[in-house]
Amino acid sequence: MHTVNTYRQVESSEDEYIILKALLDAPDAFISGSVLAEQLGISRPAIWGKLEKLREKGFEFEAIRNRGYQLTKVPNVLNPALAQYYAAQAGLETSLLYFPVIDSTNSEAERQISYARKSPFAIVSSCQTKGRGRLGREWHSASADNLYLSVLFEPNIPPQALQHFTLWAGIYICRALQRYVPNAKLQIKWPNDLHCDGRKFAGMLTEAKMDADSLRSIVFGIGINLNSNPNQYPKAIRQLATSLHAVHGSELPLNQVAVSVLQAIHQAYDACIHNQTTESLPQAWAKLSSLCGQPVTALRGDESIHGIASGVDASGALLLKSEDGTMHTIRAGDVTLKK
Ligand code: BTN
């Protein structure tokens, strides 16, 4: 059956970008209407109309006769022009495709590559209707206060490198997010979860397409509970999940955090796939692991293995030391803390 993709991409408006850039570049100054009009090649009344449109999206300006405009409020919602501005500031060259609603950003990345979009690129959304988690689970994705994003790469390397990649991505993203919440302790729970105070606030899902002996594409997706209120989460996850807002005590800037996370994903890709790091995975992991030294149970197929989590090996597998001293290597599955 032929299915039609009905999701709407909202592109960054060139004019909006130019106005916001002029105002954000000079936060303490007033930019005159004639300067903006000249930059855009339109009349001053037309500038007024553009500012009205931005006001409708939640931006606020102070306007002073004979001096011009100053930006006084930036709405904390995903906005493609703002995200593009912060991406340019960070030197991030990846194209960023924003969809207000999508089934799954991972699925959209796959569709975009089938339309021959040049990789790498990122898909960012405010709401997923079919967000996917690991092991066939659902990823609850209804809140526009959270982040749902995916990046697609075409690495053309042997498939073994894949496991590493998600672990490196977790390390780089955890470090990037930590800078926004200096008083909280962000940690990684093997293999793909980010935790704070024993509760999960982000999950990662890497999906790959392979040829006979090479990785054709990797889609790395992450969902981050950013500014949502954990009291409004579905009952089943309310006790297990948190958000960065909840642990920090105040809102985080959505567009800037999205760009920092995308930057971290690219750094992880360079570190892992292009070997651009001198750090060892086990050492970098040990500093951030929520499980190290803790008694845990790992599920390997039908088998439960109990032991003390003792870090990861160079391949990214979890090492579990059982009571009789045997070291078990867990390559995939779920791990829970033993109460
Ligand atoms: C997990 O913890 O089980 C992984 C969750 C991954 C969720 C993200 S949200 C963005 C991307 N698109 C998806 O459908 N899933 C990932």
Side-chain angles (χ1 to χ4, degrees):
M1 197 177 73
H2 183 70
T3 52
V4 182
N5 174 7
T6 52
Y7 301 105
R8 184 177 56 95
Q9 183 192 344
V10 173
E11 294 191 46
S12 159
S13 134
E14 183 72 17
D15 290 354
E16 226 172 68
Y17 177 76
I18 293 172
I19 294 174
L20 290 176
K21 177 169 167 30
L23 297 171
L24 285 163
D25 278 349
D28 300 323
F30 279 80
I31 307 293
S32 81
S34 51
V35 164
L36 293 174
E38 199 184 324
Q39 284 190 12
L40 266 67
I42 57 176
S43 67
R44 287 183 61 177
I47 287 292
W48 201 85
K50 302 258 175 212
L51 292 176
E52 273 310 292
K53 279 221 160 113
L54 283 165
R55 280 196 178 99
E56 283 164 18
K57 294 181 184 173
F59 291 89
E60 288 176 16
F61 307 93
E62 188 177 354
I64 298 187
R65 191 186 278 274
N66 296 328
R67 284 186 72 191
Y69 302 98
Q70 190 176 53
L71 188 59
T72 51
K73 186 182 164 203
V74 173
N76 201 8
V77 292
L78 281 173
N79 173 289
L82 265 184
Q84 196 193 332
Y85 172 78
Y86 295 120
Q89 273 204 324
L92 189 74
E93 282 164 14
T94 308
S95 26
L96 219 155
L97 282 66
Y98 172 63
F99 291 76
V101 179
I102 199 76
D103 51 353
S104 149
T105 52
N106 274 31
S107 304
E108 181 59 30
E110 284 297 342
R111 285 194 290 269
Q112 290 290 334
I113 204 74
S114 74
Y115 312 148
R117 180 170 296 278
K118 195 172 163 294
S119 67
F121 57 83
I123 311 288
V124 183
S125 183
S126 296
C127 171
Q128 296 184 121
T129 54
K130 287 185 193 144
R132 291 199 294 277
R134 283 176 66 236
L135 309 168
R137 294 177 191 138
E138 179 199 356
W139 184 256
H140 178 68
S141 314
S143 171
D145 292 326
N146 291 337
L147 269 179
Y148 316 103
L149 61 88
S150 302
V151 182
L152 187 143
F153 299 98
E154 291 176 293
N156 234 336
I157 50 151
Q160 300 84 283
L162 185 64
Q163 185 171 16
H164 272 132
F165 174 61
T166 315
L167 300 191
W168 275 118
I171 291 169
Y172 278 85
I173 292 171
C174 193
R175 289 173 181 163
L177 293 174
Q178 184 66 75
R179 290 195 280 275
Y180 288 93
V181 292
N183 298 326
K185 187 171 180 197
L186 305 188
Q187 293 186 304
I188 315 176
K189 176 173 173 282
W190 188 91
N192 292 355
D193 296 349
L194 296 181
H195 273 221
C196 185
D197 296 334
R199 290 177 188 230
K200 176 166 170 171
F201 67 88
M204 297 169 267
L205 176 70
T206 306
E207 296 174 315
K209 287 245 154 69
M210 291 178 214
D211 283 338
D213 50 10
S214 106
L215 274 176
R216 196 143 48 88
S217 63
I218 300 179
V219 179
F220 172 85
I222 180 162
I224 305 176
N225 298 341
L226 205 69
N227 288 326
S228 53
N229 180 350
N231 295 330
Q232 287 162 5
Y233 294 170
K235 245 195 176 141
I237 59 168
R238 213 172 286 163
Q239 297 307 316
L240 309 170
T242 189
S243 72
L244 286 178
H245 182 172
V247 301
H248 184 51
S250 61
E251 271 196 6
L252 279 81
L254 266 166
N255 294 282
Q256 278 119 307
V257 173
V259 168
S260 300
V261 170
L262 291 172
Q263 232 186 342
I265 296 168
H266 281 270
Q267 285 163 351
Y269 185 79
D270 289 338
C272 167
I273 313 278
H274 296 143
N275 277 324
Q276 287 177 10
T277 180
T278 50
E279 275 187 295
S280 93
L281 179 65
Q283 278 173 15
W285 185 267
K287 289 188 193 141
L288 295 172
S289 167
S290 68
L291 297 178
C292 266
Q294 309 259 18
V296 299
T297 302
L299 291 177
R300 197 165 56 181
D302 289 340
E303 188 192 7
S304 298
I305 302 169
H306 308 287
I308 301 292
S310 311
V312 296
D313 68 12
S315 78
L318 181 71
L319 300 172
L320 273 196
K321 194 171 187 179
S322 58
E323 251 175 20
D324 64 5
T326 314
M327 195 63 97
H328 299 272
T329 305
I330 314 292
R331 299 199 182 279
D334 257 350
V335 176
T336 45
L337 262 180
K338 245 172 106 180
K339 299 254 158 65

Tab-separated table of all heavy atoms in Angstrom, residues 104-106 128 131-134 139 148-150 193 200 203-205 221-223, ligand 1:
chain	number	residue	atom	x	y	z
A	104	SER	N	7.982	9.692	14.505
A	104	SER	CA	9.205	9.439	15.268
A	104	SER	C	10.337	10.135	14.518
A	104	SER	O	10.419	10.019	13.284
A	104	SER	CB	9.452	7.929	15.346
A	104	SER	OG	10.834	7.643	15.414
A	105	THR	N	11.182	10.868	15.230
A	105	THR	CA	12.281	11.570	14.547
A	105	THR	C	13.232	10.552	13.904
A	105	THR	O	13.821	10.826	12.867
A	105	THR	CB	13.050	12.487	15.527
A	105	THR	OG1	13.440	11.715	16.666
A	105	THR	CG2	12.210	13.673	15.957
A	106	ASN	N	13.377	9.352	14.522
A	106	ASN	CA	14.215	8.317	13.894
A	106	ASN	C	13.614	7.890	12.551
A	106	ASN	O	14.329	7.730	11.564
A	106	ASN	CB	14.330	7.090	14.805
A	106	ASN	CG	15.450	7.230	15.829
A	106	ASN	OD1	15.759	8.333	16.261
A	106	ASN	ND2	16.055	6.113	16.219
A	128	GLN	N	6.092	13.657	19.332
A	128	GLN	CA	6.104	12.445	18.515
A	128	GLN	C	4.822	11.654	18.791
A	128	GLN	O	4.441	11.475	19.950
A	128	GLN	CB	7.295	11.562	18.868
A	128	GLN	CG	8.648	12.172	18.574
A	128	GLN	CD	9.777	11.212	18.854
A	128	GLN	OE1	10.560	10.884	17.985
A	128	GLN	NE2	9.867	10.740	20.070
A	131	GLY	N	6.704	7.711	19.260
A	131	GLY	CA	8.083	7.699	19.741
A	131	GLY	C	8.477	6.281	20.157
A	131	GLY	O	7.718	5.607	20.844
A	132	ARG	N	9.660	5.863	19.712
A	132	ARG	CA	10.114	4.491	20.012
A	132	ARG	C	11.202	4.499	21.080
A	132	ARG	O	12.091	5.348	21.045
A	132	ARG	CB	10.722	3.853	18.751
A	132	ARG	CG	9.753	3.556	17.655
A	132	ARG	CD	10.364	2.517	16.702
A	132	ARG	NE	11.511	3.024	15.986
A	132	ARG	CZ	11.448	3.757	14.887
A	132	ARG	NH1	10.281	4.110	14.400
A	132	ARG	NH2	12.544	4.159	14.275
A	133	GLY	N	11.131	3.518	21.964
A	133	GLY	CA	12.192	3.321	22.939
A	133	GLY	C	12.951	2.049	22.608
A	133	GLY	O	12.683	1.410	21.591
A	134	ARG	N	13.872	1.674	23.479
A	134	ARG	CA	14.623	0.423	23.279
A	134	ARG	C	13.700	-0.767	23.495
A	134	ARG	O	12.686	-0.669	24.175
A	134	ARG	CB	15.776	0.324	24.294
A	134	ARG	CG	16.961	1.184	23.947
A	134	ARG	CD	17.990	1.084	25.051
A	134	ARG	NE	18.568	-0.261	25.141
A	134	ARG	CZ	18.552	-1.000	26.245
A	134	ARG	NH1	17.982	-0.569	27.350
A	134	ARG	NH2	19.108	-2.197	26.232
A	139	TRP	N	8.134	5.462	23.621
A	139	TRP	CA	8.732	6.611	24.307
A	139	TRP	C	7.669	7.699	24.377
A	139	TRP	O	7.264	8.248	23.351
A	139	TRP	CB	9.978	7.110	23.566
A	139	TRP	CG	10.654	8.241	24.314
A	139	TRP	CD1	10.600	9.563	23.998
A	139	TRP	CD2	11.479	8.139	25.492
A	139	TRP	NE1	11.324	10.301	24.907
A	139	TRP	CE2	11.876	9.453	25.831
A	139	TRP	CE3	11.904	7.078	26.289
A	139	TRP	CZ2	12.687	9.730	26.931
A	139	TRP	CZ3	12.717	7.363	27.386
A	139	TRP	CH2	13.100	8.670	27.694
A	148	TYR	N	12.932	15.963	21.407
A	148	TYR	CA	12.974	14.695	20.678
A	148	TYR	C	13.787	14.976	19.436
A	148	TYR	O	13.387	15.822	18.616
A	148	TYR	CB	11.553	14.240	20.280
A	148	TYR	CG	10.561	14.410	21.404
A	148	TYR	CD1	9.659	15.463	21.408
A	148	TYR	CD2	10.556	13.533	22.492
A	148	TYR	CE1	8.770	15.644	22.456
A	148	TYR	CE2	9.672	13.718	23.541
A	148	TYR	CZ	8.783	14.775	23.526
A	148	TYR	OH	7.920	14.971	24.572
A	149	LEU	N	14.936	14.338	19.305
A	149	LEU	CA	15.741	14.638	18.115
A	149	LEU	C	16.563	13.439	17.684
A	149	LEU	O	16.867	12.548	18.481
A	149	LEU	CB	16.623	15.872	18.333
A	149	LEU	CG	17.676	15.883	19.433
A	149	LEU	CD1	18.995	15.322	18.939
A	149	LEU	CD2	17.890	17.298	19.899
A	150	SER	N	16.892	13.441	16.390
A	150	SER	CA	17.684	12.351	15.815
A	150	SER	C	18.697	12.938	14.842
A	150	SER	O	18.436	13.962	14.207
A	150	SER	CB	16.798	11.380	15.019
A	150	SER	OG	15.794	10.844	15.841
A	193	ASP	N	20.680	5.087	29.108
A	193	ASP	CA	19.806	6.015	29.836
A	193	ASP	C	20.630	7.088	30.542
A	193	ASP	O	21.733	6.816	31.035
A	193	ASP	CB	19.012	5.263	30.924
A	193	ASP	CG	18.066	4.226	30.344
A	193	ASP	OD1	17.868	4.227	29.122
A	193	ASP	OD2	17.548	3.422	31.142
A	200	LYS	N	15.266	8.434	35.651
A	200	LYS	CA	15.677	8.615	34.253
A	200	LYS	C	15.121	9.931	33.703
A	200	LYS	O	13.952	10.237	33.883
A	200	LYS	CB	15.121	7.429	33.452
A	200	LYS	CG	15.359	7.478	31.964
A	200	LYS	CD	15.065	6.112	31.351
A	200	LYS	CE	15.036	6.136	29.851
A	200	LYS	NZ	14.959	4.817	29.236
A	203	GLY	N	16.595	9.074	27.250
A	203	GLY	CA	16.892	7.745	26.715
A	203	GLY	C	17.389	7.876	25.282
A	203	GLY	O	16.976	8.785	24.553
A	204	MET	N	18.291	6.978	24.916
A	204	MET	CA	18.886	7.030	23.574
A	204	MET	C	18.569	5.751	22.810
A	204	MET	O	18.503	4.671	23.391
A	204	MET	CB	20.405	7.168	23.686
A	204	MET	CG	20.837	8.452	24.347
A	204	MET	SD	22.577	8.448	24.733
A	204	MET	CE	22.586	7.848	26.394
A	205	LEU	N	18.368	5.910	21.525
A	205	LEU	CA	18.059	4.767	20.669
A	205	LEU	C	18.841	4.912	19.371
A	205	LEU	O	18.632	5.868	18.629
A	205	LEU	CB	16.551	4.757	20.365
A	205	LEU	CG	16.070	3.673	19.409
A	205	LEU	CD1	16.154	2.302	20.062
A	205	LEU	CD2	14.624	3.944	18.985
A	221	GLY	N	18.950	8.618	18.038
A	221	GLY	CA	17.833	9.425	18.535
A	221	GLY	C	17.914	9.561	20.046
A	221	GLY	O	18.331	8.636	20.748
A	222	ILE	N	17.509	10.720	20.523
A	222	ILE	CA	17.469	10.918	21.980
A	222	ILE	C	16.198	11.691	22.361
A	222	ILE	O	15.782	12.615	21.655
A	222	ILE	CB	18.741	11.640	22.512
A	222	ILE	CG1	18.659	11.827	24.044
A	222	ILE	CG2	18.974	12.988	21.833
A	222	ILE	CD1	19.977	12.125	24.707
A	223	GLY	N	15.591	11.254	23.445
A	223	GLY	CA	14.463	11.973	24.020
A	223	GLY	C	14.918	12.480	25.375
A	223	GLY	O	15.458	11.705	26.179
B	1	BTN	C1	14.833	4.362	25.574
B	1	BTN	O1	15.169	4.836	26.650
B	1	BTN	O2	14.184	3.310	25.506
B	1	BTN	C2	15.224	5.077	24.302
B	1	BTN	C3	14.302	6.225	24.014
B	1	BTN	C4	14.635	6.970	22.743
B	1	BTN	C5	13.617	8.045	22.427
B	1	BTN	C6	14.066	8.940	21.293
B	1	BTN	S1	13.026	10.352	21.124
B	1	BTN	C7	13.785	10.750	19.625
B	1	BTN	C8	14.010	9.452	18.882
B	1	BTN	N1	12.827	9.070	18.129
B	1	BTN	C9	12.253	7.959	18.598
B	1	BTN	O3	11.217	7.434	18.141
B	1	BTN	N2	12.953	7.480	19.624
B	1	BTN	C10	14.106	8.308	19.916
